[in-house]
Amino acid sequence: MVLGVFAGCGDKKDDTAGGSASADAQTTPVSEMTTLTVGFDAEYPPYGYKDENGEYVGFDLDLAQEVCNRMGWELKKQPLNWDNKDADLNAGTIDCIWNGFTMTGREDDYTFSAPYVDNSIVFIVMNDSDIKTEEDLAGKIVVTQAGSSALTALTSTEDNDENLALKETFAELQEVPDYNTAFLNLESGAADCIAVDIGVAQYQLASRGDTFRQLEEPLSTEQYAIGFKKGNEELRDAVQKVLFEMYEDGTFMKIAEKYADYNLPEMICLQ
């Protein structure tokens, strides 16, 4: 039953950057693996980020650590240049992409786990902004992270006429390397609005008080999953099996509850 629910639901110390990747990551049989190298965006809270102690933490990294604990593997946390994630995965530098990674629209590009988070792309503005709805974005500068699902939601040409029409009303759609830069641009007045995943938005709203405000209507909805190299079903199945077990025994939701301030428990599509 857990398998059915999961499949049907609706991006330092020894494990710091630069740690060695799993040898022959994409060809080593699961039974011979001793490490799992997870590629992640180190500036993507609450899924993966650096805490005040300088260590990489986050919801997805916590999940990965628990999987490794149960499999007897060592977790290697590998921060990524997001634009190079596919090259790293195909080269075997990493075993998977696990960091708020959108599967929607990418289903044929990777071997994905079952989805585990229902995510939305939302707009964030300054709290005192006169922008109230999407219509108010006409003539405004909107910023988002390069290579992000938000950028795809605004630029994809496949069955996306409404969002493309919305983008055409903007004065400019800016791309920046990461969302920290996007929020700095918003605060400085260099941009009027950010298109961003709701989990990242909730992190900023929770940590910055009443500085920012979220528009009511989302730009789009999507799902997160773990991305493995295309065809690497053995590793996907092994990791996914442990995730099912974690959900069944309550560990999965216990980890999600650590990030309740970011709305994560309500976003878990296993519920």
Side-chain angles (χ1 to χ4, degrees), residues 179-190 194 208 212:
Y179 277 121
N180 285 338
T181 302
F183 278 93
L184 288 173
N185 286 3
L186 181 61
E187 283 196 276
S188 70
I194 304 174
R208 301 294 296 278
F212 308 115

Side-chain angles (χ1 to χ4, degrees), residues 11-261:
D11 222 293
K12 248 356 233 178
K13 299 178 182 177
D14 291 341
D15 56 0
T16 53
S20 61
S22 305
D24 298 323
Q26 303 305 324
T27 57
T28 303
V30 168
S31 61
E32 298 178 14
M33 288 179 59
T34 59
T35 63
L36 181 72
T37 303
V38 170
F40 69 103
D41 183 343
E43 297 183 352
Y44 204 67
Y47 300 97
Y49 60 101
K50 187 177 287 188
D51 68 9
E52 61 274 10
N53 298 317
E55 297 194 15
Y56 293 116
V57 297
F59 174 58
D60 283 342
L61 295 179
D62 287 356
L63 292 178
Q65 184 64 69
E66 181 64 19
V67 168
C68 286
N69 292 346
R70 297 188 183 203
M71 293 294 292
W73 296 336
E74 178 185 1
L75 174 63
K76 298 287 187 179
K77 304 175 184 179
Q78 184 61 56
L80 298 176
N81 177 329
W82 200 244
D83 288 341
N84 295 336
K85 61 185 180 298
D86 291 346
D88 289 335
L89 184 63
N90 290 326
T93 306
I94 57 175
D95 294 306
C96 61
I97 302 170
W98 194 344
N99 191 217
F101 190 42
T102 301
M103 70 180 298
T104 309
R106 294 178 171 134
E107 292 89 345
D108 296 332
D109 300 330
Y110 306 86
T111 290
F112 276 108
S113 72
Y116 60 94
V117 168
D118 280 327
N119 183 60
S120 297
I121 305 298
V122 297
F123 289 115
I124 298 295
V125 298
M126 296 299 293
N127 196 39
D128 60 358
S129 171
D130 59 359
I131 298 172
K132 307 296 183 183
T133 67
E134 290 183 355
E135 288 74 19
D136 297 329
L137 294 173
K140 305 295 186 182
I141 297 174
V142 178
V143 62
T144 193
Q145 178 175 297
S148 67
S149 52
L151 180 65
T152 299
L154 286 165
T155 59
S156 173
T157 57
E158 186 175 347
D159 298 324
N160 196 38
D161 291 346
E162 184 175 347
N163 288 344
L164 287 173
L166 174 64
K167 172 184 169 291
E168 289 303 310
T169 70
F170 302 163
E172 181 182 356
L173 176 61
Q174 295 180 347
E175 297 180 40
V176 293
D178 54 73
Y179 277 121
N180 285 338
T181 302
F183 278 93
L184 288 173
N185 286 3
L186 181 61
E187 283 196 276
S188 70
D192 301 297
C193 177
I194 304 174
V196 58
D197 296 61
I198 193 170
V200 179
Q202 290 293 329
Y203 172 82
Q204 292 291 343
L205 292 173
S207 62
R208 301 294 296 278
D210 58 358
T211 304
F212 308 115
R213 173 169 49 82
Q214 178 181 315
L215 299 192
E216 184 174 346
E217 291 298 319
L219 171 64
S220 64
T221 59
E222 61 190 21
Q223 292 182 317
Y224 286 163
I226 310 163
F228 299 86
K229 184 178 179 180
K230 187 73 173 177
N232 193 3
E233 296 179 358
E234 184 189 15
L235 181 56
R236 185 273 312 276
D237 291 347
V239 171
Q240 184 168 266
K241 179 177 182 292
V242 178
L243 287 178
F244 296 155
E245 294 169 355
M246 289 165 55
Y247 177 69
E248 187 172 33
D249 66 24
T251 305
F252 194 103
M253 289 306 300
K254 184 177 180 180
I255 293 173
E257 288 292 343
K258 290 175 56 179
Y259 302 92
D261 288 345

